[in-house]
Amino acid sequence: MPWILESFASYRLEQAVLEEYLRGKFGNYDFRTEHRNDHYCFRIPRKLSELEKGEVLDLREAAYLRISGFACSCDTAIEYPRNLLYHNIYEHNLIAYIERLDEREGRLFSDEAKACLDFWEFDEQAQEFQHTCAHNQAELEAQLTGPSSLGRTDPRCRFVFVHAPHSRERLETTRKMLMFTLTYHQVMPEFLDFLDGERIEGSRVRTFRRDIRVCYSLKSVERSKGQRDWPWSIRQTAIYHSFDLETGLGLWIIVKGNRLMKHRVESTTGPHGFLELTPFGIKDRAFASALLTHLIFCDWSGENWRWYVNFLEEALQEKTRRTLLVRVDKSSSPVSKTAFGEIDLPTPQPPNCPSPHCPPGHPTPEALHFLNDYAVNDPEEFSFSDLQRIQFIGEKADETLLALKANVDVLMELKQLYRFYIDSRSRGNELGRDCGEMIARFEKRIRDVANDLRMQQSRVETLLRFLADWKSLLYGILQYWNMEASKQLAKKAQQSADNMEVMTSNMYDITQKTKQETVSMKIITLVTLFFLPGTFISTLMSTDIIRFQTGSSGKPEKVFHFEAFRLYLAISVPLVSLTFSAWYGVYWWRAYQKHFTIPIEGSAIGQHADFTWSRNNHCLGRKALSPVKAIIAFQCSTLLQVWKTSPC
């Protein structure tokens, strides 16, 4: 049957829209479409009916409205996601997205001076990927739209990489640039949920009549050079992917805290990458390439978990292995004198047990060898800080378990999405039947990664159970030691109380004796005071100062000798002064000896000396005393004691 030439007005009608309609009517043929005099000329098996021409006109109007609405949406990109052409989200939810972006803008986005959006696009002429970078809004618009808003055709595969210097830094893009990129590609608003690493992991999937859109977040563990005590860090990657089921166009937007995903995608899709990822001209091969690209991120989500769980187990064993070997029934005092405010709880060393049946609390020789190998003999390492470390390890294990479960859920949802697409026969599309083998291989890889994640998940769950048991055991040991320390302190307190009771009884006896002696001394003092004036007068009268004699008249006469009285005063007053001075000197010396005493053990002189050598700065009370002065004071005290005890 010969083909006939047909034409249609090109006003507001794109050639791609017309050819797509013709392929839907007559099959996948080359219609040799040409543009002549504002008309499209093409060859078809038969003429178009009036009804079919009306359908083309409807497509032209719909495409024009879509293009004009799309241009308006791009002009208001800062209002994303409210400016999207099609969405199934309530208005208040869209407003909530914008409010959250306003709150997080300062810590999510950088200034335009630091902006750098990387594009990795497939060039059909060179049949390879080309790398470009947009550093500002103008370069971004030129990269996406070309010279005019309608003058550029999207590449068959495009990767957009949004990254940061490291996982804790802001993204190297402005909010306006990122919102324009998401608006231009009409990205679903749910993708904003994955821009902040603090949100819960998951996936969002939408399937339309002509395209598949999916966004999800995966986590993996990577080496962290900036953390010495904890060299691992759990990091997140957010992925958005759309695939046009009719044209085979693919889009990837990848948000990662570093450039790891960018390097992997470029190395895999570059000139030396996998051959399966390079042919994008054929629709089914483009679909297979999309599946292989998904596997890049899925494989990354399963990396390094085994070594990270090993690290968690070793860190836990380092802090808890001694709890299984320690004896808690040691009879010695669990309290030792340490620095101010610290109590050292020693770990007792069990003796070797040659018998195969060791008593409770005594480890076997193999256990002792294990103990010595790991150097857990230092009791000072077993303290309350171990509980804090174990609690920290438990928090990291919980975080790991949550990330593993989320990764498994995302992988299963991703597998179910493409299985549902292949099993669906309502699309009238041969792509599902042609890519069945590729889907099967994709599902197998997903299952392998998910099974490995489940195995690591089981290890983490077992680790958490052991951690809970070890923590309980460690708490029990510390509580037992605390109880034993309290018992020892209570015993010492009881001993002190008993000593205080004995001392109180002795003090009571001394007080009673002192009271009796005080009464006696009062009596002696009163008697002395009673006789003291008479004694003084009688003493004075017994001298020759005042003398009574019989005069010439035969009467008694009183004779007063002034020179004798002056001699008496000259001798007694200095002696009284000397006595008081000597008493004051002895009193001062005794007070001085209370602050500085040096006992010399094993010598006769040291038994009488009362000096004590101070270790800290040779302190004498509050004054520092040099060793020379201390020796001089000691010699003076010795001479004084010898003089007191001499028979002379």
Side-chain angles (χ1 to χ4, degrees), residues 28-84:
N28 192 11
Y29 297 107
D30 183 10
F31 301 100
R32 300 180 183 178
T33 306
E34 297 179 359
H35 188 262
R36 303 175 185 174
N37 300 326
D38 296 333
H39 282 75
Y40 290 117
C41 299
F42 49 89
R43 296 181 180 276
I44 53 178
R46 59 175 177 81
K47 283 187 171 293
L48 296 176
S49 64
E50 295 298 328
L51 179 61
E52 292 172 341
K53 291 181 180 180
E55 292 177 352
V56 175
L57 291 176
D58 293 339
L59 289 175
R60 183 184 68 181
E61 295 300 323
Y64 174 75
L65 293 176
R66 184 171 65 253
I67 292 174
S68 60
F70 176 75
C72 181
S73 177
C74 291
D75 292 338
T76 59
I78 196 63
E79 298 180 2
Y80 178 88
R82 295 185 64 188
N83 61 337
L84 293 177

Side-chain angles (χ1 to χ4, degrees), residues 602-620:
S603 64
I605 299 178
Q607 296 177 358
H608 302 285
D610 295 328
F611 293 95
T612 300
W613 185 267
S614 176
R615 294 182 179 179
N616 298 326
N617 299 327
H618 315 293
C619 290
L620 174 61

Side-chain angles (χ1 to χ4, degrees), residues 3 64 116 139 202 253 268 295 300 359 369 433 450 497 529 557 569:
W3 287 40
Y64 174 75
C116 178
E139 293 182 2
I253 299 179
T268 307
L295 292 178
W300 172 81
H369 181 70
R433 291 190 292 270
L529 292 177
E557 296 178 359
L569 292 178

Side-chain angles (χ1 to χ4, degrees), residues 274-279 285 288-289 292 438 441:
F274 292 159
L275 297 178
E276 291 86 350
L277 287 173
T278 52
R285 298 305 302 167
S289 299
L292 293 177
M438 181 58 66
R441 296 197 317 185

Side-chain angles (χ1 to χ4, degrees), residues 479-591:
Q479 289 177 0
Y480 178 80
W481 282 350
N482 186 27
M483 181 179 63
E484 291 297 320
S486 300
K487 289 182 179 179
Q488 295 294 331
L489 292 176
K491 290 180 180 179
K492 291 185 177 182
Q494 182 63 35
Q495 293 176 359
S496 300
D498 295 339
N499 294 334
M500 287 298 297
E501 184 178 359
V502 174
M503 292 174 62
T504 303
S505 178
N506 295 334
M507 289 298 295
Y508 178 77
D509 296 339
I510 295 174
T511 303
Q512 294 297 325
K513 293 180 180 179
T514 304
K515 183 178 179 181
Q516 295 176 0
E517 293 176 356
T518 302
V519 173
S520 301
M521 291 301 297
K522 286 182 180 180
I523 296 173
I524 294 173
T525 303
L526 290 176
V527 173
T528 302
L529 292 177
F530 178 77
F531 288 102
L532 182 62
T535 303
F536 174 74
I537 295 300
S538 63
T539 303
L540 185 63
M541 295 297 292
S542 64
T543 62
D544 290 337
I545 297 174
I546 300 175
R547 186 176 58 181
F548 292 90
Q549 61 184 0
T550 303
S552 57
S553 59
K555 295 181 181 180
E557 296 178 359
K558 180 178 68 173
V559 180
F560 178 75
H561 296 280
F562 181 76
E563 293 297 331
F565 181 71
R566 188 174 61 179
L567 180 62
Y568 172 77
L569 292 178
I571 296 175
S572 62
V573 170
L575 287 177
V576 170
S577 301
L578 181 61
T579 302
F580 277 100
S581 299
W583 171 83
Y584 179 75
V586 173
Y587 174 78
W588 177 84
W589 182 253
R590 288 297 182 182

